[in-house]
Amino acid sequence: MVGGGQLARMTHEAGIPLGIRFKLLSDTAQDSAAQVVNEVVVGDYRDLDTLRRFAEGCDVITFDHEHVPTEHLRALEADGIPVRPGPDALVHAQDKGVMRARLAELGVPAPRNRLVSDARDVAAFAAEGAAPGTGDGFPVVLKTVRGGYDGKGVWVVRGADDPNAAEPFKAGVPVLAEEKVDFARELAANVVRSPHGQAVAYPVVESVQVDGVCDTVIAPAPELAEDLALGAQEIALKVAHELGVVGHLAVELFETADGRLLVNELAMRPHNSGHWTQDGAVTSQFANHVRAVLDLPLGDPRCRERWTVMANVLGGDYPDMYAAYLHCMARDPQLKIHMYGKDVKPGRKVGHVNVYGDDLAEVRERAAHAAGYLRGTVVE
Amino acid sequence: MVGGGQLARMTHEAGIPLGIRFKLLSDTAQDSAAQVVNEVVVGDYRDLDTLRRFAEGCDVITFDHEHVPTEHLRALEADGIPVRPGPDALVHAQDKGVMRARLAELGVPAPRNRLVSDARDVAAFAAEGAAPGTGDGFPVVLKTVRGGYDGKGVWVVRGADDPNAAEPFKAGVPVLAEEKVDFARELAANVVRSPHGQAVAYPVVESVQVDGVCDTVIAPAPELAEDLALGAQEIALKVAHELGVVGHLAVELFETADGRLLVNELAMRPHNSGHWTQDGAVTSQFANHVRAVLDLPLGDPRCRERWTVMANVLGGDYPDMYAAYLHCMARDPQLKIHMYGKDVKPGRKVGHVNVYGDDLAEVRERAAHAAGYLRGTVVE
């Protein structure tokens, strides 16, 4: 696996029971996954020679992130190394412009969008979206087509004279303009697909964002109409099939107030919206990603529990979490803590907790309490 | 953790979510756990210098097996390294003579037993157990007090002229004679205890042995009378408390036809009879062992499912199990496979499977089928 973050850490954890050998390419020997994996190559994934050296002895290569250059992936494939997901699929998770164009071809519903070149283009894009007599069409969302995550690389432009209308163009990366969807909530439809075409769809979940960062995931999404749930799974399965995805695909969606689904983002790797599966599904996203990548039959994706809630633990002001561990574990013996071995920095994702049970309100409270206590924002 | 077997492998897996650093002392770099752990010291656990070098930087030391010499454990403690379980507890899992004497002091029910020196002693021990007019008191079980496992170091002596009556004395290790209990079935009562004295008791399970090796574990033990279940848990909690055990304690018991419980063996580490907890309990034995050793509050030991069945996978005639994986995973998408990364040798424990559900007969059939198919004894 290329990339030493928490996704690789948890993929390794899920691979251990399968008896496989797991080799890691990591930026440093201290990265989250590098701490727990036996075979670690420290190197730069942007360097083809490093990738080739890493690939020696690997049966297949997969990824903790989408940042490996497409041309390097093609070079590895030319060397005879299976790359899963492959470059032709992965480019849709790397480049939002390519993704938007392809989803439009497939007829998958998405926010109105267009590549833009400057602030004047942005104003024109906005105006096209303005209903007659309703103003200038702002706000509009601008995104760099590559490199953004967790709210980075995303700007909301509230009017033609908003400084954000010019900011995204400074990096010299193509910029995509999108309508700012007035959504009721955010959903994620996660699926896993094998090279031989088997696919499984996880229950659709609700994802609650705070400041552009995933805060809480509720599985399954509460009170989601069955046709919307099936529609979201169908979109994700269609995208996985048409794009030839191998492994885990997360499709982030907006549910609009008038009951439509619009695709927001794609990720082709285990995803934060699937962390609940570690304790709440029969087969976790990590185990199924490994099974898919190795072309093994996939495991059952269904819920084991009525409700499972995942809450991210962000770093707070206290670098040593041992005392908080004591409190949280003693308070809730059913709490499932997943920490990433990362140094605590304010706002950094350093772990998550999963809680399951029959009473959603109680389950949410327990998850939020534990995550808040570990961060230091809940005191008792 | 000292010892590179599958117990260390699965303990590491369970420790990853806690964000801890796991260091391993392993006989070879190819051992089951050594394949998946980042920090591996290859060396001989019987050598104190090796142990001391390994212990540098460790906050606490625990074990995958009971074979580290007691005097070495005392030396590490004198160096200031917490050893959990400590030598005063662990000696009861290392030496069956010490264990039997201590359990007798505690009034814990056990098979009639005595240390014996030669075949004549064995005949005298047998005769003492013969009810009037019922013969010579054979069969009798002989065990070397140290070093036995999985049926090794155990002999059944069927009469005074049975060659097995002399065999155990050849190794020069003290030998324990025990009555051969006419048991209805074997049970295991597993508990985990912390340094600060918190303890949790797992549901009592039934353990089915074949040729002296654990074949199947059923959780909870079917149709076990509630007073016997509570009695077994009380015995295990009492032993853990009185012996000062820290970590997981497995108490293997005989249930006699007339409804009594007799303690057969103790193990102070994660144990084969607790593997079902990985998928069938709220907190696995491995996670709770780690939490105990680190003096963190313990997790809920209760069942998540009505029935969970564990079946061991023994090595068969086929060294490459990939084809068997394909079949088993495709046949049963709920099957939980746990392989140890070991080379397949006939009869060697190379993994186990867990299956859970509401119908015990169906759950047993699925577990036995998968374990048999992976071994190569079931063909379809």
Side-chain angles (χ1 to χ4, degrees), chain A residues 170-224:
Chain A
K170 292 181 181 169
V173 178
V175 174
L176 190 73
E178 296 185 354
E179 66 171 311
K180 186 166 191 307
V181 176
D182 183 25
F183 58 84
R185 60 176 168 175
E186 293 186 68
L187 303 173
N190 295 346
V191 297
V192 182
R193 184 175 174 275
S194 294
H196 71 283
Q198 187 192 10
V200 294
Y202 283 97
V204 176
V205 299
E206 178 174 341
S207 171
V208 182
Q209 316 279 320
V210 174
D211 299 332
V213 178
C214 176
D215 180 82
T216 303
V217 170
I218 307 168
E223 297 177 48
L224 180 62

Side-chain angles (χ1 to χ4, degrees), chain A residues 94-112:
Chain A
Q94 294 174 315
D95 188 308
K96 296 186 210 300
V98 174
M99 181 267 282
R100 284 294 181 219
R102 184 82 173 110
L103 293 192
E105 277 177 25
L106 295 175
V108 172
R112 192 173 67 87

Side-chain angles (χ1 to χ4, degrees), chain A residues 126-139:
Chain A
E128 288 163 27
T134 60
D136 56 6
F138 285 98

Side-chain angles (χ1 to χ4, degrees), chain B residues 5 30 44 76 84 87 106 111 178 180 190 197 211 215 218 236 294 303-304 325 354 376 380:
Chain B
Q30 287 73 46
D44 185 344
L76 291 174
R84 293 172 181 165
L106 296 175
E178 295 185 353
K180 187 166 189 308
N190 294 346
D211 298 333
D215 180 82
I218 306 168
L294 298 177
C303 291
R304 278 185 78 169
Y325 264 39
N354 286 330
E380 67 183 2

Side-chain angles (χ1 to χ4, degrees), chain B residues 52-223:
Chain B
R52 283 191 159 133
R53 188 161 41 87
F54 168 69
E56 275 171 32
C58 289
D59 293 315
V60 56
I61 288 184
T62 188
F63 310 95
D64 159 278
H65 59 65
E66 291 101 351
H67 307 319
V68 181
T70 305
E71 62 271 23
H72 291 358
L73 300 179
R74 293 201 198 287
L76 291 174
E77 282 197 326
D79 292 345
I81 310 286
V83 173
R84 293 172 181 165
D88 292 333
L90 201 60
V91 68
H92 299 88
Q94 294 174 316
D95 188 309
K96 297 186 209 301
V98 174
M99 182 266 283
R100 285 294 180 217
R102 184 81 173 110
L103 293 193
E105 278 177 25
L106 296 175
V108 172
R112 191 173 68 85
N113 66 83
R114 193 168 74 223
L115 289 170
V116 288
S117 314
D118 53 29
R120 193 159 55 176
D121 248 10
V122 175
F125 173 81
E128 288 165 28
T134 59
D136 56 7
F138 284 97
V140 158
V141 179
L142 299 183
K143 300 175 174 177
T144 53
V145 298
R146 283 182 178 256
Y149 68 98
D150 278 357
K152 295 178 182 65
V154 177
W155 293 262
V156 176
V157 183
R158 305 204 172 273
D161 54 356
D162 185 333
N164 276 349
E167 193 66 30
F169 301 100
K170 292 179 180 170
V173 178
V175 174
L176 190 73
E178 295 185 353
E179 66 170 312
K180 187 166 189 308
V181 176
D182 183 24
F183 57 84
R185 61 174 167 176
E186 293 186 68
L187 304 173
N190 294 346
V191 298
V192 181
R193 184 175 173 275
S194 293
H196 71 282
Q198 187 192 9
V200 293
Y202 282 97
V204 176
V205 298
E206 177 175 343
S207 172
V208 182
Q209 315 280 319
V210 174
D211 298 333
V213 178
C214 176
D215 180 82
T216 303
V217 169
I218 306 168
E223 297 177 48

Side-chain angles (χ1 to χ4, degrees), chain A residues 304, chain B residues 275-281 284 304-305 308 336-338 352-354 356:
Chain A
R304 278 186 77 169
Chain B
H275 289 357
W276 69 275
T277 61
Q278 293 174 302
D279 300 296
S284 81
R304 278 185 78 169
E305 307 289 339
T308 303
K336 309 309 278 187
I337 296 180
H338 299 267
H352 66 272
V353 297
N354 286 330
Y356 54 78

